[in-house]
Amino acid sequence: MGEYGIRKMNYEDAEAVTDVLINTWQTSYRGIVSDDCLDHMDRDTLIERRRRQYKDYIVVVMEGRIVGFCWYMNNNSYSQDVPEADSEVVALYVLPEFQGKSLGRALITYAMDDLRGQGRKKMVIWCLKENHPSRKFYEKMGGTIFGEHKTHIGNLDYDEVGFMYNL
């Protein structure tokens, strides 16, 4: 594998991170999420969202460009449903052509180490139930399935499974 680095996201990285998001969604979620949703992702809106949230992201840089990112936080947006989790990985994406090079592992390890350093004990990750490659990855990284819920994407509901990690 080539050289890579992980760093905190900068405000200026919003476009590159959004392009990773769109590319991976359109590739990884095809056949799971509706084609209409995938084919009509609003890049400008997504860029603005990344600019508002950039302090919660890390990026992986390889071959001089951002090829993946992880959005994590030291709280849990599902705290009413999963009160035992005090942290969450909200998103983890690596461009398809860079998958299988341990970059996802490096990103999630970085996030887990950072959260552990902040005194967090349990982390949750939600994954689309039909996204079997990601589910396999999250299990390989030590997560155990603890439950399911519905998430709304576009104008449809999808099943997600939750993975819990002891930090």
Side-chain angles (χ1 to χ4, degrees):
M1 181 176 73
E3 295 287 321
Y4 71 89
I6 295 176
R7 63 171 171 78
K8 293 284 188 178
M9 180 180 164
N10 298 318
Y11 181 86
E12 297 78 21
D13 296 329
E15 287 186 30
V17 167
T18 297
D19 291 341
V20 169
L21 174 82
I22 291 171
N23 185 313
T24 55
W25 268 61
Q26 290 177 339
T27 304
S28 300
Y29 293 164
R30 189 73 63 187
I32 301 172
V33 173
S34 79
D35 287 346
D36 184 58
C37 178
L38 296 174
D39 294 339
H40 295 97
M41 296 177 79
D42 185 340
R43 185 174 184 268
D44 292 335
T45 299
L46 292 169
I47 289 169
E48 285 309 310
R49 226 179 262 157
R50 302 293 87 71
R51 286 182 176 146
R52 286 192 307 270
Q53 302 164 330
Y54 77 94
K55 292 179 182 178
D56 295 327
Y57 286 65
I58 55 174
V59 296
V60 60
V61 179
M62 190 173 187
E63 299 178 5
R65 67 182 181 134
I66 292 173
V67 299
F69 71 91
C70 180
W71 173 19
Y72 67 97
M73 54 188 166
N74 64 1
N75 58 34
N76 166 16
S77 57
Y78 298 96
S79 58
Q80 289 181 322
D81 299 327
V82 192
E84 63 273 22
D86 57 12
S87 56
E88 179 180 4
V89 167
V90 182
L92 177 69
Y93 296 105
V94 174
L95 286 170
E97 62 268 30
F98 290 90
Q99 292 174 7
K101 300 180 184 304
S102 297
L103 300 177
R105 174 180 294 278
L107 285 165
I108 203 167
T109 299
Y110 181 105
M112 291 170 78
D113 289 346
D114 187 27
L115 291 166
R116 193 177 300 112
Q118 295 177 48
R120 300 304 174 183
K121 303 290 184 205
K122 289 195 178 280
M123 180 182 80
V124 64
I125 297 174
W126 290 95
C127 177
L128 289 172
K129 188 174 183 177
E130 299 304 316
N131 186 352
H132 297 290
S134 292
R135 288 179 59 173
K136 185 175 179 181
F137 170 77
Y138 292 137
E139 288 173 359
K140 189 175 181 180
M141 289 300 300
T144 55
I145 294 176
F146 68 89
E148 295 185 20
H149 72 189
K150 298 261 186 216
T151 189
H152 196 74
I153 302 172
N155 36 354
L156 297 172
D157 287 331
Y158 298 89
D159 292 322
E160 282 188 316
V161 292
F163 291 86
M164 187 69 69
Y165 293 81
N166 291 315
L167 298 176

